[in-house]
Amino acid sequence: MTTHVLILCTHNSARSVLSEGMLNHWAQKLDKDVKAHSAGSAPSGRINPFAVEALQNAGVDTSGYYSKSWDQFSQDGAPPLSIVITVCDSAAAEQCPVFFGGNGQPVKVHWGYPDPSNAEGGDEGKRRAFELTRQAIGYRMLQLLQLPFEDLSKAELQQALVEIYKS
């Protein structure tokens, strides 16, 4: 059974899109039955071009990606979510979305990243920040894919996800 993971950030334009791309990329490469989705509580309506560039430079297919509302994951016909990850930077006092879910309650965890869109140094500084963020996210997604989802209770999965964030 496919493990569906929803990654949330307020605008669904940078970190959540990087996360969706990297998780789907690694899941396909490692032949794991995991499908990532991303959304936002107040979607911007566009994906940051630096996010698209960072993903494409890493060999990730970004076709079909768009900035979307989390509302579609609470409606009938939405994929049954196993995990919801927020990726906002609460240290920067960002307002992270709180997802209430639709079909059953997914395991929820927070993996905060600074917003690469706010990087200094012009376009080159932003490119570097997006690439570093993509690498950090990619590493965590590889760790997530090593978890034996079918053998873990919700509480064990929650703890394993918290441990990944701490590592």
Side-chain angles (χ1 to χ4, degrees):
M1 185 169 101
T2 302
T3 299
H4 289 275
V5 180
L6 176 61
I7 301 122
L8 297 175
C9 203
T10 305
H11 301 298
N12 188 219
S13 64
R15 292 161 288 184
S16 53
V17 173
L18 291 170
S19 300
E20 176 185 15
M22 291 311 299
L23 183 53
N24 283 332
H25 178 74
W26 287 126
Q28 182 181 11
K29 290 245 183 248
L30 299 172
D31 198 29
K32 299 284 186 170
D33 194 10
V34 174
K35 175 71 175 147
H37 312 272
S38 70
S41 55
S44 68
R46 69 173 195 76
I47 295 177
N48 189 302
F50 291 109
V52 172
E53 182 180 318
L55 288 169
Q56 289 176 343
N57 287 344
V60 176
D61 178 10
T62 59
S63 59
Y65 282 27
Y66 64 100
S67 178
K68 58 198 157 299
S69 173
W70 63 357
D71 292 343
Q72 71 184 64
F73 294 95
S74 296
Q75 299 173 356
D76 287 340
L81 300 173
S82 299
I83 301 168
V84 174
I85 302 170
T86 53
V87 292
C88 321
D89 184 11
S90 54
E94 277 185 284
Q95 198 64 12
C96 277
V98 178
F99 186 77
F100 295 102
N103 310 342
Q105 284 300 311
V107 171
K108 299 171 189 169
V109 67
H110 176 72
W111 290 354
Y113 298 93
D115 188 351
S117 304
N118 295 332
E120 296 179 3
D123 285 357
E124 228 17 75
K126 288 188 188 332
R127 271 190 190 89
R128 193 168 35 259
F130 271 87
E131 177 56 21
L132 290 171
T133 303
R134 185 203 62 77
Q135 288 175 18
I137 287 169
Y139 178 70
R140 281 207 180 113
M141 295 308 172
L142 279 171
Q143 291 177 293
L144 182 150
L145 289 169
Q146 298 309 309
L147 297 176
F149 299 111
E150 60 283 341
D151 298 335
L152 298 175
S153 69
K154 281 190 172 190
E156 291 168 330
L157 178 57
Q158 173 82 43
Q159 186 56 43
L161 293 169
V162 167
E163 290 302 318
I164 288 172
Y165 183 64
K166 289 179 181 177
S167 66

